[in-house]
């Protein structure tokens, strides 16, 4: 059974720092991995989708890497800003191949001005 | 192309009442997934539907919860005789295909509060 774990659960950094969020999964047979952002009381915004054949994806100050063999993904945020404060979730499709996602518990990030 | 639309955004129900949550998928998407996010917990899969069919309801409680996705109109998640423990954010996602390799797009969620 696929399980997704995110470390740390919470992170507080001063503005301008580069930071790394971690996501690990137990079953390496995944099609892709997706990173989402969730603001308090809001929905999920997709940030990056990494296909299993890719090792990384970049969007602006965000860079996500994927190492299937070790069951890990990292989300790197460069030059963090207060507007980056949110909860970051990673998710992988479960092995049933029906498209349903297994989510980690999330990392709640606070970037202080 | 409008995104996934959920309504209402906020819903308050008294214990014992019924809650109906609606989800209109993105245009061209025929696959709908419902997830629940309990306070201080992650998102958990509830049910996966295609038009007029429930494909996987393995995450949905056996009692009081039901879901449908009719040929016409939005998908509906129905909770009968709500209890305080049903208070949560309910999210809907849609995708154009079933494969685990397709990207899912999420709505803004419905926040249900049972008083």
């Amino acid at each position: 059974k696929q399980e997704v774990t995110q470390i740390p659960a919470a992170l507080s950094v001063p503005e301008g720092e580069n930071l790394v969020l971690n996501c690990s999964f137990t079953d390496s047979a995944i099609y892709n991995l997706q990173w989402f952002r969730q603001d308090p009381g809001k929905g999920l915004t997709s940030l990056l989708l990494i296909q299993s054949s890719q090792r990384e994806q970049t969007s602006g100050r965000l860079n996500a890497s994927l190492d299937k063999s070790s069951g890990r993904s990292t989300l790197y945020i460069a030059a963090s800003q207060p507007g980056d404060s949110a909860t970051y979730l990673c998710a992988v499709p479960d092995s049933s191949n029906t498209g349903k996602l297994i989510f980690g518990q999330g990392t709640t990030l606070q970037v202080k001005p | 192309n409008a995104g996934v639309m959920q309504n209402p955004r906020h819903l308050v129900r008294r214990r014992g009442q019924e809650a109906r949550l609606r989800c209109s998928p993105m245009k061209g998407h025929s696959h709908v997934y419902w997830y629940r996010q309990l306070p201080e917990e992650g998102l958990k899969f509830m049910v996966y539907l295609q038009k007029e069919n429930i494909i996987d309801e393995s995450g949905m409680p056996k009692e009081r919860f039901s879901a449908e996705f009719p040929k016409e109109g939005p998908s509906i998640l129905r909770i009968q005789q709500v209890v305080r423990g049903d208070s949560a954010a309910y999210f809907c996602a849609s995708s154009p295909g079933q494969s685990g390799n397709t990207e899912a797009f999420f709505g803004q969620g419905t926040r249900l509060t049972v008083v």
Side-chain angles (χ1 to χ4, degrees):
Chain A
K1 178 186 171 187
Q2 179 74 273
E3 293 182 0
V4 180
T5 303
Q6 290 187 247
I7 295 173
L11 184 61
S12 181
V13 300
E15 182 176 5
E17 272 202 11
N18 302 324
L19 54 101
V20 174
L21 308 181
N22 297 293
C23 172
S24 61
F25 44 95
T26 54
D27 185 350
S28 61
I30 59 170
Y31 286 98
N32 57 57
L33 183 143
Q34 202 165 351
W35 282 94
F36 294 90
R37 169 183 172 140
Q38 185 177 27
D39 292 280
K42 304 288 187 182
L44 277 70
T45 301
S46 180
L47 296 173
L48 290 163
L49 173 73
I50 313 176
Q51 301 291 353
S52 60
S53 58
Q54 298 175 313
R55 291 195 64 84
E56 64 178 58
Q57 275 277 29
T58 298
S59 176
R61 293 181 295 107
L62 305 180
N63 176 277
S65 67
L66 175 63
D67 184 343
K68 275 185 60 176
S69 60
S70 66
R72 294 180 183 179
S73 176
T74 60
L75 180 67
Y76 175 82
I77 303 177
S80 58
Q81 303 171 358
D84 295 330
S85 299
T87 296
Y88 292 81
L89 299 162
C90 70
V92 297
D94 99 324
S95 57
S96 66
N97 196 29
T98 57
K100 70 183 186 186
L101 297 175
I102 308 297
F103 282 85
Q105 295 285 86
T107 293
T108 299
L109 171 66
Q110 182 183 30
V111 181
K112 297 178 179 178
Chain B
N1 185 9
V4 178
M5 303 300 291
Q6 289 189 249
N7 67 81
R9 293 289 305 276
H10 300 275
L11 182 62
V12 179
R13 284 287 178 266
R14 295 187 183 279
R15 280 179 294 171
Q17 290 185 319
E18 178 180 288
R20 283 193 178 224
L21 289 63
R22 297 175 188 78
C23 170
S24 296
M26 287 181 69
K27 187 177 180 181
H29 289 191
S30 59
H31 300 256
V32 167
Y33 306 80
W34 285 93
Y35 294 83
R36 178 166 67 173
Q37 186 175 37
L38 292 166
E40 307 303 323
E41 293 190 18
L43 277 84
K44 303 291 186 187
F45 167 80
M46 297 182 73
V47 61
Y48 162 43
L49 310 101
Q50 295 179 26
K51 284 285 188 181
E52 301 184 275
N53 287 300
I54 296 175
I55 307 301
D56 181 348
E57 55 183 350
S58 59
M60 198 154 68
K62 296 288 186 286
E63 297 180 353
R64 302 187 297 108
F65 285 72
S66 62
E68 63 177 11
F69 190 13
K71 186 177 180 180
E72 302 291 338
S75 175
I76 306 287
L77 179 67
R78 182 183 178 203
I79 311 172
Q80 295 178 290
Q81 300 175 331
V82 296
V83 301
R84 289 234 170 99
D86 296 332
S87 295
Y90 293 82
F91 291 96
C92 167
S94 74
S95 74
Q98 170 180 322
S99 167
N101 202 24
T102 54
E103 186 174 2
F105 297 86
F106 281 78
Q108 291 294 300
T110 293
R111 276 149 188 86
L112 171 66
T113 302
V114 180
V115 297

